[in-house]
Amino acid sequence: MDADAIVIGSGQAGVPLAARLAGAGKRTILVERSRLGGTCVNYGCTPTKTMVASARAAHVARTAGRLGVQAGAVRIDFPAIVARKDAIVRRWQDGVRKRISGAGERLQLVEGHARFVSANEIEVGSQRYRAGLIVIDVGVRPAVPEVEGLGGLPWLDNRRVMELSAVPRHLVVLGGGYIGCEFAQMFRRFGAEVTVVQRGPHLLDREDPDVSEPLEGVFRAEGIKVVTERKVLRASARGSGIAISLDDGPEVEGSHLLVAAGRRPNTDDLGCDRGGIELDEKGFVRVDDQYRTSAKGVYAVGDVTGGPQFTHTSWDDHRILYDILAGRPVRSRAGRVIPYVVFTDPQVAGVGINEREARKRGLRHEVARMEFGSIARAIETDETDGVLKLILDPESERILGANVVGVEAGELIHVFAALMQAGATARALVDVEIAHPTFAEGLQSVAMQLPRYALR
Ligand SMILES: Cc1cc2nc3c(=O)[nH]c(=O)nc-3n(C[C@H](O)[C@H](O)[C@H](O)COP(=O)(O)OP(=O)(O)OC[C@H]3O[C@@H](n4cnc5c(N)ncnc54)[C@H](O)[C@@H]3O)c2cc1C
């Protein structure tokens, strides 16, 4: 069957791209092998952040005493938390379905696994589809680390952990990246014992150490055991639970094991060799700044391109690619300002480069740093954990990057992102009048830690 365009994968880029191509009059086929909406809606952002909200409510209720409020004993109704999560996920799934049906008959949904037969032809089951334009948006899935014995155990990944019907007695989390950290704190606040085992010296090890440290302090204060600089050698069954042996130190025993040790691309069963689509050494699709793969007429977007793996990045990919395909490119894949947020409490947010990266690249830079707890609003609300960091280009005074660790850091970071996108200098932040008392006052105060912006 012939079409004008084929989109493989109904993720954050795939659905809007397919719907817009169909809306522009192109006969478009969207192929999905699993649940509509991809990772974010079904197994990623939506369910996790819904459950993180319940976990935070439990924490606020438990610690209300610090504000002089006695809230009584907190009881976790886990089935109700899961039901709320499922209802919100269903709402998003319905939205995706409506977006597809609303695109009209030019958009055809094909359910099944797509494989390339050649650069302009795929097969789904016994059916073949051809198009001059094919866009790959197949995403990534959990990587399985090489740990002896893991194969024989009922370990959990980000998907299976959200299908639990009861709070685990002791959750052992293998991996201290953002997925591991969000689940660790969530389940701790639901009442589980939690141990996080991290190979590197810090949680969230892409961050500067002084950005990870406030979170580690909070984790430990909440009773999460954080084991760093340990490699997991073996996993085995122990009673009704699991045990993992490390390269040093005692075994870690728990009732459940969550593996959150990276993500790998869904390209191993996509037939890329037959399509002439080049992959990098880790299996990600190689694309240029215009999302072109090595095969003519084949593009790739989203997590599978190996760039920052975020919903907003995948969605932005669709916008940029759509404009490129429409012959009116405004932006390209390169050089974008990409913020990110880890939805722990305190949240850990960043944009641009950090201090380590600035050093590594040999860039001239100035660093401003301030404790989140010196913001008036942080003191008033007793939300003092965290830090603010700003990396400045001393010549242009432009912001090279920023980190905010603190309550609502995910909202605050966008002030820096907007300034960076606009090419503004940090002086704009110093000169603007900021309402008191807000957390945003900290953004100005951190800039004013730099001698050039200090009050004289
Ligand atoms: C636990 C967790 C929490 C997360 N939290 C956040 C967050 O808070 N914020 C954020 O920005 N990001 C978050 N993410 C990341 C975010 O979910 C992804 O970056 C985003 O979903 C990527 O979208 P995508 O379009 O690239 O791919 P996906 O959404 O993964 O979609 C790919 C689709 O392709 C389908 N597919 C794969 N192979 C084939 C094939 N051969 N044929 C047909 N269909 C195929 C898959 O079934 C899938 O539906 C989280 C991820 C996880 C796992």
Side-chain angles (χ1 to χ4, degrees):
M1 182 189 168
D2 283 351
D4 297 315
I6 296 172
V7 177
I8 309 173
S10 71
Q12 294 307 302
V15 172
L17 193 62
R20 289 181 70 193
L21 288 168
K26 296 201 184 303
R27 287 167 305 136
T28 305
I29 290 169
L30 173 65
V31 192
E32 174 54 61
R33 69 177 179 189
S34 179
R35 293 195 193 165
L36 283 179
T39 307
C40 172
V41 169
N42 295 293
Y43 326 106
C45 333
T46 306
T48 52
K49 275 59 201 188
T50 303
M51 291 176 80
V52 160
S54 298
R56 173 150 167 92
H59 172 74
V60 169
R62 261 184 216 120
T63 58
R66 68 200 161 123
L67 301 179
V69 177
Q70 299 309 326
V74 171
R75 193 179 68 82
I76 299 296
D77 183 349
F78 195 62
I81 289 168
V82 172
R84 175 175 178 270
K85 178 260 295 178
D86 289 343
I88 291 174
V89 167
R90 270 196 303 277
R91 211 163 116 188
W92 283 106
Q93 288 168 338
D94 288 348
V96 173
R97 240 173 255 122
K98 277 191 198 129
R99 179 92 204 255
I100 293 170
S101 57
E105 58 191 30
R106 284 210 175 79
L107 178 56
Q108 187 196 342
L109 175 66
V110 173
E111 292 181 68
H113 179 96
R115 264 190 198 84
F116 280 90
V117 177
S118 70
N120 57 9
E121 189 170 17
I122 59 161
E123 62 184 8
V124 183
S126 57
Q127 189 72 42
R128 290 197 171 188
Y129 303 89
R130 289 164 59 89
L133 167 67
I134 302 185
V135 181
I136 303 169
D137 177 35
V138 295
V140 298
R141 64 180 187 278
V144 184
E146 280 182 23
V147 172
E148 193 191 316
L150 191 61
L153 293 176
W155 56 273
L156 304 164
D157 60 12
N158 65 283
R159 204 163 149 170
R160 293 192 287 265
V161 75
M162 281 185 285
E163 288 164 2
L164 290 175
S165 54
V167 176
R169 180 181 54 75
H170 185 164
L171 183 68
V172 177
V173 182
L174 206 161
Y178 85 93
I179 293 177
C181 284
E182 288 182 6
F183 280 119
Q185 192 178 38
M186 176 204 298
F187 278 102
R188 177 68 192 141
R189 289 177 168 190
F190 290 155
E193 246 184 89
V194 175
T195 304
V196 184
V197 182
Q198 164 75 327
R199 189 191 282 231
H202 289 284
L203 297 177
L204 305 178
D205 59 6
R206 288 185 189 175
E207 305 296 343
D208 291 333
D210 60 352
V211 165
S212 305
E213 275 157 9
L215 184 70
E216 289 162 1
V218 169
F219 270 29
R220 291 195 167 108
E222 290 189 14
I224 298 171
K225 197 157 177 230
V226 180
V227 181
T228 54
E229 294 190 272
R230 291 286 177 282
K231 201 170 161 221
V232 177
L233 299 180
R234 245 180 332 279
S236 47
R238 183 66 45 89
S240 60
I242 55 96
I244 56 174
S245 352
L246 309 174
D247 54 353
D248 193 13
E251 270 192 347
V252 178
E253 285 188 40
S255 60
H256 294 72
L257 176 64
L258 168 64
V259 177
R263 317 269 299 157
R264 57 177 291 207
N266 290 324
T267 51
D268 35 5
D269 49 6
L270 190 59
C272 290
D273 47 343
R274 288 204 281 167
I277 299 148
E278 238 180 67
L279 305 177
D280 72 10
E281 58 291 346
K282 290 185 174 157
F284 291 98
V285 178
R286 279 192 209 279
V287 289
D288 66 10
D289 287 353
Q290 311 279 298
Y291 301 94
R292 285 182 294 227
T293 71
S294 54
K296 191 161 183 296
V298 181
Y299 295 76
V301 286
D303 285 4
V304 77
T305 59
Q309 295 174 6
F310 303 121
T311 282
H312 44 280
T313 308
S314 178
W315 189 78
D316 195 39
D317 282 352
H318 118 265
R319 290 199 295 179
I320 300 174
L321 177 57
Y322 186 84
D323 286 345
I324 290 170
L325 295 173
R328 48 164 202 238
V330 183
R331 297 185 293 141
S332 86
R333 181 171 180 263
R336 280 183 286 172
V337 175
I338 302 180
Y340 61 89
V341 184
V342 181
F343 288 86
T344 45
D345 187 7
Q347 295 174 359
V348 178
V351 64
I353 58 169
N354 60 18
E355 189 178 357
R356 180 165 48 190
E357 187 66 26
R359 281 215 194 101
K360 199 167 126 195
R361 291 197 207 168
L363 297 177
R364 287 195 58 206
H365 65 281
E366 288 175 4
V367 181
R369 190 179 184 287
M370 195 187 94
E371 298 300 319
F372 198 84
S374 36
I375 304 171
R377 181 146 180 84
I379 296 166
E380 288 149 9
T381 55
D382 197 33
E383 299 282 0
T384 51
D385 293 305
V387 67
L388 300 115
K389 258 184 111 170
L390 179 65
I391 317 294
L392 192 83
D393 175 343
E395 266 159 47
S396 67
E397 294 188 51
R398 290 205 179 158
I399 298 164
L400 297 172
N403 277 107
V404 183
V405 181
V407 71
E408 304 300 0
E411 309 300 326
L412 296 172
I413 200 70
H414 291 91
V415 173
F416 291 118
L419 288 170
M420 289 171 72
Q421 182 72 36
T425 67
R427 165 67 61 189
L429 193 53
V430 174
D431 288 345
V432 70
E433 200 168 309
I434 296 184
H436 173 79
T438 59
F439 293 116
E441 284 181 297
L443 308 180
Q444 186 173 63
S445 303
V446 69
M448 290 172 77
Q449 302 299 309
L450 292 170
R452 64 172 72 225
Y453 300 134
L455 293 176
R456 284 173 223 283

